[in-house]
Amino acid sequence: MENNKFNETITLLQQLVQIRSPYFEENEAIEFAKNWMENNGIPAKFHEYTEEKVTGFHGKNVYSIVESGKTGPTIYFNGHLDTVRLCKGWTKDPFGGEIEGDR
């Protein structure tokens, strides 16, 4: 069972790596994340925002609030779904999701 969860995690990460998501163009990765959460029983919502002064960007984030039903501290996880734009010099396909050794 534990090996199965490991394989599921690797597959999920490979799927995410294959989505082109340079900054300001991460909508496909955000949609993927929301769909994955919903398909795995995690309620998900979009939060839309704008940044008018510097970039004029209108974007969205995906988030979820999961209640345990127990009292105690709140745990907050945060991450980025955008990447940087590709540059020259790659020796492997950055979207291939290939595994070499333990990387």
Side-chain angles (χ1 to χ4, degrees):
M1 174 102 169
E2 201 168 301
N3 193 34
N4 189 35
K5 289 294 181 188
F6 176 79
N7 290 336
E8 287 178 25
T9 302
I10 295 298
T11 299
L12 174 62
L13 292 173
Q14 287 174 316
Q15 290 170 334
L16 281 167
V17 165
Q18 292 169 351
I19 299 171
R20 296 176 191 270
S21 59
Y23 47 87
F24 303 133
E25 297 175 25
E26 62 271 14
N27 278 342
E28 186 179 347
I30 291 169
E31 294 279 347
F32 176 89
K34 183 175 185 288
N35 289 334
W36 183 91
M37 290 192 304
E38 290 174 338
N39 290 335
N40 285 276
I42 303 168
K45 296 180 182 178
F46 288 127
H47 167 256
E48 296 193 25
Y49 65 95
T50 61
E51 192 293 303
E52 299 293 340
K53 288 184 179 181
V54 177
T55 63
F57 182 64
H58 299 266
K60 63 184 170 186
N61 293 311
V62 62
Y63 74 97
S64 180
I65 297 173
V66 180
E67 299 284 344
S68 70
K70 299 178 182 179
T71 59
T74 299
I75 299 174
Y76 176 81
F77 293 99
N78 180 14
H80 289 261
L81 291 172
D82 63 329
T83 59
V84 295
R85 298 202 185 281
L86 291 183
C87 58
K88 293 180 181 179
W90 286 88
T91 58
K92 303 226 180 222
D93 178 7
F95 300 109
E98 61 190 277
I99 298 173
E100 190 172 300
D102 64 349
R103 296 174 181 237

